[in-house]
Amino acid sequence: MAVEQQNTGTQEYGFDPLSDPQEARILYATLDSFRQYRRAAHYNITHIRRQSFYALPSAQNDVLSSPPISMLKTFAAVDRAIESNAEIAEAILAVGLPSFGIAAEDHRWKNCARPSDLDKARSTIRQMYRDWAFEGLPERQAAFVPIMSALEKHFSDLAPSERHQCKVLVPGAGLGRLVFELCAAGWTVEGNEISYHQLIASNYILNLVGGAGAHKLHPWALNFSNHKSRAHQLQAVRIPDVNPVEYLEEASTRLASEVHYSDRMTMTAGDFCVLYRQSEHRERFNAVTTCFFIDTAPNVINYIETVRFCLAAGGIWINLGPLLWHFESGPTPAEIEKQSGRTKKGPRKDGNVDIDAGIGEPGSFELCNDEVLALLEHYGFDVIEHRDAPPTGYIQDSASMLHNVYHPTFWIARKR
């Protein structure tokens, strides 16, 4: 099923997820998790805390209810923050349903979200802080500027108005901000994302949000730990920080781009290793950029082989990120499929390339950075630049008493 993206490009799903029962269940659970955001957050964040609060001895209850602590007022303020966040979730849902041709009154998609789906909805809403709030700019600059500077350096023979000639792929596009910024810089860019949560949310924010500052987001309200003050916990930011359509219009005019931005920006849904090993993508891109992505692989060799397949000879792969291997402490997608009783179809071949091998294939391992670089050399890349990237948080509350800081690596590899 192809879904037309208004204004900023097209989102080419290329298939109907409702035609496969398992895929439909995943999509239904995603939609339902946004529907349940309001109720689940109120229950898990404030209702349960109120129950614990009222179970305290009355003398302690009185102290905590009175100024300067006023715990009940805090719970009420958090409830209001949840209401504000829920407006974002429900706006995403309102766009997601018609995007897949699902009626709001169709009960098949309701009440099927699991706790893990609800967690993903909460995480997606919070990630809006990093990708689409002004306050997230330092994190975006730390991650995006080295990538964008590398593209400009390695394709310096192209004038800004001619950058559309360079086709850039962004696997793990998430909420679409890097794709958006690359398009604004003049490149022809295609994002790919496997998560329905991220796809539906990015579709809303890029195409239908209405304007800058349309929503008030409370990114830290659902977490009660490591706050110096309640004001920090209840901090509100406006999203998006720009009007996406106006931003791209202005950038396109400034660059005098020869191709309209709506023809230079696309998003695809699906497993990166499955989709981009298909024959139509062979040597299609001049550059691949990966940002906080390669450690999402149970088997990073699959990612390397897929990039090599879809990257043109002499093309460059620009990578920035840590190596927080996502499946180190939990079951891999293949193990989850086995536990659920699913039977995976056998692979199809395209030359010597297994185009069905994706993130759900069996096998998993974790490498250090030096070993990843060695694999690149083994699989047909020359590492032409390698250095430490600026330290950065990831959806980090700058006022928190706990800071997790990444010291990511940055490298550029050229396909032989």
Side-chain angles (χ1 to χ4, degrees):
M1 178 176 72
V3 179
E4 183 72 14
Q5 289 269 48
Q6 302 173 18
N7 303 322
T8 57
T10 60
Q11 186 155 3
E12 301 168 349
Y13 291 106
F15 69 102
D16 180 5
L18 302 182
S19 65
D20 178 84
Q22 179 67 10
E23 199 69 25
R25 193 211 67 77
I26 296 170
L27 175 58
Y28 288 157
T30 299
L31 294 167
D32 187 46
S33 68
F34 287 118
R35 182 185 72 90
Q36 291 195 46
Y37 180 97
R38 185 187 301 269
R39 180 190 62 80
H42 280 307
Y43 179 81
N44 291 315
I45 305 304
T46 54
H47 175 72
I48 290 178
R49 280 183 169 83
R50 282 190 177 95
Q51 287 184 318
S52 297
F53 178 79
Y54 286 121
L56 293 169
S58 58
Q60 296 178 5
N61 194 295
D62 290 342
V63 171
L64 295 174
S65 298
S66 303
I69 299 175
S70 304
M71 203 69 190
L72 292 177
K73 288 185 177 181
T74 294
F75 293 151
V78 172
D79 276 329
R80 290 191 294 271
I82 289 170
E83 290 291 307
S84 184
N85 288 1
E87 291 179 6
I88 304 171
E90 288 162 10
I92 293 169
L93 173 64
V95 169
L97 288 169
S99 293
F100 292 94
I102 299 172
E105 59 272 15
D106 186 341
H107 290 284
R108 288 178 298 175
W109 65 274
K110 296 179 181 178
N111 300 313
C112 59
R114 301 167 300 184
S116 59
D117 301 309
L118 297 172
D119 287 342
K120 290 176 184 176
R122 286 192 290 269
S123 176
T124 299
I125 299 300
R126 192 167 66 100
Q127 190 177 332
M128 293 285 184
Y129 173 86
R130 171 183 169 85
D131 282 29
W132 291 103
F134 172 79
E135 291 78 0
L137 181 61
E139 288 188 13
R140 294 197 299 272
Q141 287 182 322
F144 296 172
V145 168
I147 292 172
M148 298 181 71
S149 297
L151 275 174
E152 293 178 11
K153 173 184 175 182
H154 286 273
F155 295 95
S156 59
D157 57 319
L158 295 175
S161 62
E162 301 171 328
R163 287 176 182 167
H164 64 90
Q165 298 173 27
C166 177
K167 296 179 180 178
V168 183
L169 176 64
V170 183
L175 293 180
R177 189 61 187 250
L178 178 57
V179 173
F180 174 80
E181 296 292 352
L182 290 172
C183 180
W187 312 102
T188 296
V189 57
E190 181 166 303
N192 168 252
E193 179 56 53
I194 195 172
S195 164
Y196 283 123
H197 284 87
Q198 303 275 306
L199 285 162
I200 296 169
S202 66
N203 180 21
Y204 172 68
I205 212 77
L206 284 169
N207 297 300
L208 297 162
V209 71
H215 292 288
K216 186 164 66 172
L217 169 69
H218 297 264
W220 325 121
L222 276 62
N223 184 343
F224 276 69
S225 296
N226 288 310
H227 296 295
K228 294 180 180 178
S229 74
R230 292 299 174 197
H232 291 148
Q233 178 182 2
L234 296 167
Q235 177 192 7
V237 299
R238 287 284 179 177
I239 62 164
D241 59 317
V242 297
N243 181 314
V245 175
E246 291 179 358
Y247 188 92
L248 290 179
E249 288 280 8
E250 292 170 2
S252 189
T253 300
R254 184 175 65 254
L255 296 173
S257 179
E258 297 173 0
V259 177
H260 193 263
Y261 65 82
S262 61
D263 296 320
R264 292 189 285 101
M265 180 173 165
T266 57
M267 288 282 284
T268 62
D271 187 315
F272 167 62
C273 293
V274 174
L275 181 58
Y276 288 94
R277 290 196 200 188
Q278 296 180 17
S279 57
E280 62 264 34
H281 296 297
R282 185 189 294 272
E283 299 191 342
R284 181 175 160 226
F285 297 96
N286 306 104
V288 174
T289 67
T290 48
C291 182
F292 279 72
F293 174 71
I294 65 171
D295 53 4
T296 65
N299 180 346
V300 75
I301 292 175
N302 285 343
Y303 280 10
I304 294 172
E305 290 185 328
T306 304
V307 172
R308 185 182 62 178
F309 181 82
C310 68
L311 190 61
I316 60 170
W317 179 3
I318 306 169
N319 175 76
L320 186 148
L323 292 176
L324 178 65
W325 299 106
H326 283 38
F327 300 103
E328 180 175 5
S329 58
T332 66
E335 291 166 338
I336 293 171
E337 283 193 354
K338 184 176 180 180
Q339 292 166 6
S340 68
R342 289 186 65 195
T343 302
K344 188 172 180 67
K345 298 177 182 178
R348 292 180 288 117
K349 297 286 183 179
D350 183 7
N352 293 322
V353 180
D354 178 350
I355 64 172
D356 271 359
I359 199 169
E361 289 295 316
S364 178
F365 56 90
E366 301 84 31
L367 301 180
C368 67
N369 187 61
D370 288 348
E371 292 165 341
V372 171
L373 296 175
L375 276 183
L376 291 171
E377 297 282 353
H378 178 82
Y379 283 95
F381 291 90
D382 293 320
V383 178
I384 59 177
E385 188 172 342
H386 173 224
R387 66 175 188 270
D388 291 337
T392 180
Y394 197 95
I395 320 179
Q396 178 67 59
D397 176 7
S398 61
S400 174
M401 298 166 69
L402 173 65
H403 282 197
N404 293 313
V405 178
Y406 290 99
H407 294 265
T409 188
F410 173 83
W411 48 257
I412 303 173
R414 188 185 303 279
K415 180 181 173 181
R416 297 188 198 115

